[in-house]
Amino acid sequence: MDSEQNEAVAGQVDALSMVVTQLAMVLSPEQAQRAAAGLAAARKEPASATNFSTPEQQTIARNGVLDGYQKLLDSLSRNR
């Protein structure tokens, strides 16, 4: 993937993150708690159940994004 493609993908990921964050912000505490529990359960599954050759950098990036959303949902479930 070249530099332009990387920048395009980064922009798409950034936009998607903004949308998901705004959706999370309108959840009730109970909904945020359920979403956090579901995310925690999903994270216990392998990063790629069908492809066991997931690149390490992809797994690290995935876990970093999931950590951020997990913290947001946990916070929303406690602080409203």
Side-chain angles (χ1 to χ4, degrees):
M1 194 178 299
D2 66 21
S3 168
E4 280 186 27
Q5 289 173 318
N6 282 339
E7 290 175 10
V9 170
Q12 292 169 336
V13 170
D14 189 39
L16 184 58
S17 179
M18 292 170 66
V19 170
V20 171
T21 298
Q22 290 305 309
L23 290 171
M25 298 300 287
V26 299
L27 296 176
S28 70
E30 295 80 17
Q31 291 169 320
Q33 185 176 21
R34 287 196 315 265
L39 182 56
R43 290 187 69 174
K44 292 179 182 176
E45 297 174 9
S48 178
T50 59
N51 180 4
F52 295 103
S53 63
T54 302
E56 182 179 4
Q57 290 295 15
Q58 181 179 343
T59 300
I60 291 168
R62 173 186 180 265
N63 289 340
V65 170
L66 292 176
D67 287 344
Y69 283 115
Q70 187 75 54
K71 288 176 185 174
L72 173 64
L73 290 167
D74 289 340
S75 174
L76 292 172
S77 70
R78 289 189 304 266
N79 294 325
R80 287 198 181 170

